[in-house]
């Protein structure tokens, strides 16, 4: 398969692994920021191919997982309003909030529909002019441009019953927040591939400049990841941290200018709440006042009530890279993909689901 098989070539993989073993001498801690990378590392068994001095730590790059209970409660409260249709990506529907989930709200009679894109939500709005259709906008810079496009389209087509609950988050500010917390010592970061295809690699430059931490943007195939790790090892061993791209077919240093413009037309940066981290300034995307009629936060009066975190769940510290799913006493016992206690077990990119599906033999 073109663009897949060549990035899974075992011979090339072996050469990269040998080179990493030859070069890597120092104790090295690398964070893969993105949940998609955690899945790729486990699925292809990359951890046990690396030298013992390299430790891989999973980061907060799973949009469903980092959505705070307070925001989820807001979405559930919106679902309970009369004449409201909630549209959402599938994983989000199963995540437990403080007292319920969108799935339970649906079972109780709310109109909650799983969609694959904001375009699907817009179609539902067009077909149901007597209902208010709210799209639960989660995700990082990867999804925000398409959601911005749906808002512009709604305006152009004079669709007045379409709303976004914008829970979008941005990556560089949360990377800074995690580094500033100082809880986890890192030598290198594998930067997210899909996000970087939009924002480019320049926004990570503060990481080597201010924190002396190596960075490499990676794709999601085994060779992409090994090349990124090889680049990081080289930077770390030579003491020259920088930002490199191991995913040239998807990422340009300047990013996708058109997508950035689209995003900036509809959204502006603002404070966001992250699960396990709390409020982080300038780490969220809020709808600009010019498009406020599409903003569910402004359009509806709701009281989601006090927030409560799932008892015993340590998703927060897993997302900060401080713990692993194996540190959670509920892992595999009470908490499974069929009966998830926290979001990291619900999402296909969540660390707990990844550890569960690919097993401890792939972990280290
Ligand atoms: Fe939360 Fe379940 Fe993961 Fe434990 S195993 S941290 S309860 S999601």
């Amino acid at each position: 398969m073109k663009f897949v098989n060549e990035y899974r070539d075992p011979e090339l993989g072996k050469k990269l692994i040998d080179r990493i073993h030859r070069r890597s001498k120092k104790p090295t801690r690398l964070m893969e920021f993105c949940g998609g990378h955690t899945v790729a590392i486990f699925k292809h068994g990359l951890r046990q191919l690396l030298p013992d001095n390299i430790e891989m730590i999973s980061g907060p790059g799973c949009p469903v997982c980092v959505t705070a209970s307070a925001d989820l409660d807001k979405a559930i409260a919106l679902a309970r309003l009369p004449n409201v249709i909630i549209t959402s990506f599938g994983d989000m529907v199963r995540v437990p909030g403080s007292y319920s989930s969108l799935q339970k709200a649906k079972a109780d009679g709310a109109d909650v529909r799983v969609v694959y894109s904001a375009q699907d939500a817009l179609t539902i709005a067009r077909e149901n002019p007597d209902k208010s259709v709210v799209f639960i906008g989660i995700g990082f810079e990867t999804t925000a441009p398409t959601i911005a496009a749906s808002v512009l389209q709604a305006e152009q087509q004079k669709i007045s019953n379409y709303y976004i609950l914008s829970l979008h988050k941005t990556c560089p500010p949360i990377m800074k927040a995690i580094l500033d917390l100082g809880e986890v010592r890192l030598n290198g970061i594998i930067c997210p591939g899909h996000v970087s295809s939009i924002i480019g690699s320049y926004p990570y430059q503060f990481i080597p400049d201010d924190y002396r931490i190596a960075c490499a943007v990676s794709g999601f195939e085994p060779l992409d990841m090994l090349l990124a790790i090889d680049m990081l090892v080289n930077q770390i061993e030579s003491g020259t941290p920088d930002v490199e791209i191991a995913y040239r077919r998807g990422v340009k240093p300047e990013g996708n200018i058109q997508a950035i413009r689209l995003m900036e037309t509809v959204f502006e940066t603002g404070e966001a709440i992250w699960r396990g981290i709390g409020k982080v300034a300038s780490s969220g995307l809020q709808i600009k006042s010019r498009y406020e009629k599409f903003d569910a936060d402004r359009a509806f009066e709701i009281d989601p009530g006090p927030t409560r975190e799932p008892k015993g769940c340590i998703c927060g510290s897993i997302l900060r890279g401080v713990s692993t799913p194996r540190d959670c006493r509920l892992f595999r016992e009470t908490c499974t993909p069929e009966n998830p206690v926290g979001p990291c077990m619900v999402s296909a990119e969540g660390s707990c689901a990844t550890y569960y599906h690919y097993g401890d033999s792939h972990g280290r």
Side-chain angles (χ1 to χ4, degrees):
M1 205 189 312
K2 185 86 179 128
F3 299 128
V4 173
N5 289 345
E6 59 262 59
Y7 298 99
R8 293 183 179 178
D9 183 322
E11 281 308 309
L12 283 177
K14 192 171 174 320
K15 279 185 190 156
L16 278 169
I17 292 161
D18 288 347
R19 197 161 74 183
I20 292 167
H21 275 261
R22 270 199 318 276
R23 279 176 165 174
S24 186
K25 307 279 181 241
K26 299 176 181 169
T28 297
R29 303 187 90 211
L30 306 179
M31 175 180 273
E32 81 273 4
F33 177 87
C34 173
H37 283 154
T38 306
V39 174
I41 288 168
F42 273 68
K43 192 168 153 188
H44 298 292
L46 299 184
R47 279 193 177 188
Q48 58 279 51
L49 297 175
L50 297 175
D52 288 344
N53 59 306
I54 298 184
E55 189 184 346
M56 301 297 299
I57 298 157
S58 303
C62 158
V64 170
C65 308
V66 293
T67 300
S69 293
D71 286 332
L72 199 54
D73 294 347
K74 233 193 245 184
I76 295 163
L78 283 169
R80 294 211 163 108
L81 293 177
N83 289 320
V84 167
I85 300 174
I86 294 290
T87 55
S88 167
F89 296 135
D91 281 350
M92 202 58 195
V93 169
R94 296 182 59 228
V95 179
S98 298
Y99 305 95
S100 185
S101 67
L102 285 171
Q103 195 172 40
K104 283 186 188 149
K106 183 179 168 76
D108 293 341
D111 194 344
V112 177
R113 305 187 193 183
V114 170
V115 291
Y116 295 100
S117 69
Q119 282 301 318
D120 294 346
L122 196 56
T123 302
I124 293 172
R126 207 180 287 117
E127 290 169 354
N128 294 273
D130 54 335
K131 300 273 175 85
S132 299
V133 176
V134 181
F135 179 70
I136 310 299
I138 63 156
F140 298 115
E141 294 93 332
T142 326
T143 47
T146 58
I147 289 157
S150 77
V151 168
L152 296 180
Q153 209 177 332
E155 184 175 65
Q156 206 179 29
Q157 297 174 3
K158 301 196 183 342
I159 298 174
S160 57
N161 61 329
Y162 179 61
Y163 304 90
I164 307 287
L165 180 65
S166 181
L167 308 177
H168 293 101
K169 297 181 172 56
T170 53
C171 291
I174 200 62
M175 289 173 160
K176 182 174 185 322
I178 285 182
L179 295 175
D180 287 342
L181 279 174
E183 293 179 305
V184 51
R185 188 184 59 76
L186 296 176
N187 307 99
I189 297 177
I190 300 179
C191 301
H194 293 150
V195 165
S196 307
S197 67
I198 304 294
I199 66 170
S201 59
Y202 292 144
Y204 308 119
Q205 195 57 47
F206 73 94
I207 300 176
D209 291 354
D210 300 347
Y211 298 88
R212 303 288 300 156
I213 290 175
C215 287
V217 178
S218 178
F220 297 85
E221 294 301 330
L223 291 189
D224 294 322
M225 305 240 41
L226 289 172
L227 181 60
I229 293 168
D230 183 51
M231 285 173 165
L232 291 174
V233 164
N234 193 32
Q235 292 179 37
I236 292 161
E237 293 296 329
S238 61
T240 53
D242 201 350
V243 182
E244 289 184 273
I245 301 174
Y247 188 33
R248 288 269 169 199
R249 68 188 182 286
V251 175
K252 291 189 216 144
E254 70 277 16
N256 181 331
I257 304 294
Q258 218 180 343
I260 293 171
R261 277 205 196 112
L262 194 54
M263 198 160 60
E264 289 176 350
T265 302
V266 173
F267 295 110
E268 61 193 359
T269 55
E271 187 179 81
I273 319 173
W274 295 68
R275 184 181 296 270
I277 299 165
K279 290 179 182 170
V280 178
S282 308
S283 70
L285 292 176
Q286 295 163 359
I287 294 182
K288 284 183 170 174
S289 51
R290 158 82 178 76
Y291 298 98
E292 66 182 12
K293 63 183 175 192
F294 300 106
D295 186 352
D297 251 332
R298 288 168 165 123
F300 299 94
E301 287 255 335
I302 43 164
D303 177 16
T307 307
R308 193 177 64 175
E309 294 305 324
K311 203 164 168 229
C313 174
I314 61 161
C315 275
S317 65
I318 291 172
L319 291 165
R320 299 198 307 276
V322 177
S323 307
T324 76
R326 268 182 257 117
D327 298 320
C328 178
R329 61 187 171 79
L330 305 185
F331 179 67
R332 282 191 192 281
E333 303 294 328
T334 320
C335 184
T336 63
E338 291 73 37
N339 288 300
V341 175
C344 301
M345 188 58 95
V346 175
S347 171
E349 293 188 351
S351 288
C352 300
T354 304
Y355 274 67
Y356 185 94
H357 289 302
Y358 297 103
D360 284 357
S361 63
H362 289 278
R364 200 170 63 190

